Amino acid sequence: MTGTIRRSGADVICDFDFLDVATGEILWNRNILVAEAAATMALPERLADVLQAIGRSVAQTTLRNLRGLTLPEIADHELLIAGVASMHRRALRDFLTARQYLEESAARAPRSTDVHAWLGKWHILNVFKGYSTDRGSDTQRALDCTARALDLDPDSSFALTIDGFAHANILGEIDEADRRYTAALDRNPNESLSWLLRGALLAFQDDGTGAVQATDTARRLSPIDPFGYYFDSLASSAHLAAGNFDRALDFAERSLSANDRHISTLRTKIAAQHCLGDGDGARATAAELMRRFPTFRLNEYRSTHPSAERRTGRLVIEALRASGIS
């Protein structure tokens, strides 16, 4: 990133060029104009847009550059970027490709804690999103990855967080997950993902107030996270648990506008619409969920979701049933 700051009358103008250092190509440019008297107040919010554009460009440019390349031709750092970026994209084919990138990255960097933790997260999402065809084996793969990450660095707040995610979301071991998140935050109080997942855990336990506080903290710590749809999704769940159905719906719709293949967000949206008395909207969202996830069944949700026996889980089940899902 290069640029200049200049005055123009009573205004300040910031010009930015974002370049690919390997080729010298200017990928994009931006300019920001603010009143000089208000610059210190106005610039941070405007700069957040620039930083978001940088994050998206790094991911998109990396993925674009990999087209037509075989795995051995891809640089180490590009493998991890591509794996993480692809894992959080809408299309199922991108999610499946992410595994190839992350497994190759782990093979090349077998002592990288973060790589093993990211691969563990892929396996967790594979199970939790309902993509897995062998839940038992894929659950074990997730645990093997997080165990490997923690063997390499027992104090890694990121690895502790992902291990907590596995215990909460696919094993249903709420107390063990809470211990992992607590340990992660003891080591790094600014670990936004740990705050976010702890918020989800509190929502599972029907502590709506605590869930909202935790997800709000996560959003403050990572206000321009490139995976913002996931932050919005869990914020939606937190507000559902707190009974803030309007806010739950707002966050769910915002999340789905960025990633419409996230099944838990669709479930939360159905529940919020049902609680707000929008039966037609809930049925339309339920039809969309079944179109995207035709194998989803209420019995599976009851038997596998950590909150199924709690108040919020029962609310979701009631909403799904009323919306036509069996």
Side-chain angles (χ1 to χ4, degrees):
M1 173 66 72
T2 66
T4 60
I5 301 176
R6 54 191 169 89
R7 285 191 178 92
S8 177
D11 298 323
V12 170
I13 299 175
C14 302
D15 297 302
F16 302 94
D17 291 326
F18 189 61
L19 301 95
D20 182 333
V21 294
T23 64
E25 175 189 3
I26 296 177
L27 300 175
W28 50 257
N29 49 50
R30 300 279 192 280
N31 64 71
I32 296 175
L33 185 149
V34 296
E36 184 174 3
T40 56
M41 294 293 292
L43 273 176
E45 183 177 346
R46 301 289 301 279
L47 287 170
D49 295 333
V50 175
L51 293 173
Q52 274 191 322
I54 292 172
R56 285 193 297 268
S57 294
V58 169
Q60 291 169 359
T61 303
T62 299
L63 291 173
R64 185 186 67 205
N65 291 343
L66 300 191
R67 291 174 189 160
L69 296 182
T70 62
L71 287 178
E73 296 175 298
I74 301 173
D76 292 356
H77 70 284
E78 290 179 323
L79 278 171
L80 184 56
I81 293 171
V84 174
S86 298
M87 179 173 24
H88 293 90
R89 298 187 85 184
R90 296 187 186 202
L92 176 58
R93 66 178 178 275
D94 291 325
F95 180 77
L96 297 176
T97 300
R99 178 180 181 176
Q100 299 175 32
Y101 292 141
L102 292 170
E103 286 183 337
E104 176 69 13
S105 187
R108 293 192 198 178
R111 299 195 61 77
S112 170
T113 297
D114 284 357
V115 168
H116 289 289
W118 278 118
L119 183 55
K121 185 178 182 184
W122 186 94
H123 285 294
I124 296 165
L125 292 177
N126 187 43
V127 172
F128 192 64
K129 287 185 173 187
Y131 296 150
S132 173
T133 57
D134 187 341
R135 183 181 177 92
S137 295
D138 288 331
T139 296
Q140 189 58 53
R141 290 188 182 98
L143 296 172
D144 290 344
C145 289
T146 58
R148 176 61 175 155
L150 288 169
D151 283 345
L152 291 166
D153 184 0
D155 291 323
S156 167
S157 61
F158 181 61
L160 285 164
T161 297
I162 301 301
D163 194 50
F165 187 34
H167 281 85
N169 288 57
I170 58 176
L171 294 178
E173 296 177 355
I174 302 298
D175 291 341
E176 190 62 36
D178 187 52
R179 282 191 283 272
R180 294 293 195 276
Y181 296 149
T182 298
L185 291 170
D186 283 345
R187 289 157 176 77
N188 179 10
N190 293 324
E191 181 63 72
S192 62
L193 185 60
S194 193
W195 279 111
L196 183 71
L197 295 176
R198 187 175 211 174
L201 190 72
L202 292 169
F204 292 164
Q205 297 172 300
D206 295 332
D207 182 357
T209 300
V212 169
Q213 290 174 346
T215 55
D216 282 351
T217 299
R219 291 166 57 79
R220 283 196 302 272
L221 287 170
S222 194
I224 57 170
D225 198 285
F227 311 123
Y229 84 88
Y230 192 60
F231 281 64
D232 289 338
S233 176
L234 297 194
S236 177
S237 297
H239 282 283
L240 185 72
N244 305 328
F245 303 126
D246 284 322
R247 293 286 285 155
L249 181 58
D250 287 344
F251 276 114
E253 289 180 334
R254 181 164 139 172
S255 178
L256 290 167
S257 70
N259 185 340
D260 56 6
R261 292 193 60 89
H262 201 241
I263 190 170
S264 63
T265 316
L266 290 165
R267 289 195 299 253
T268 304
K269 181 179 177 180
I270 293 166
Q273 289 172 315
H274 174 78
C275 292
L276 290 168
D278 182 10
D280 289 342
R283 284 186 288 275
T285 306
E288 177 66 12
L289 185 152
M290 293 309 300
R291 184 179 72 82
R292 294 192 174 279
F293 301 94
T295 62
F296 176 75
R297 297 292 181 271
L298 273 182
N299 282 340
E300 181 184 3
Y301 179 86
R302 287 192 192 95
S303 63
T304 61
H305 198 279
S307 72
E309 298 301 321
R310 305 265 184 166
R311 173 181 54 80
T312 304
R314 292 195 299 270
L315 184 155
V316 172
I317 291 169
E318 175 191 337
L320 293 174
R321 184 188 297 112
S323 302
I325 296 176
S326 60

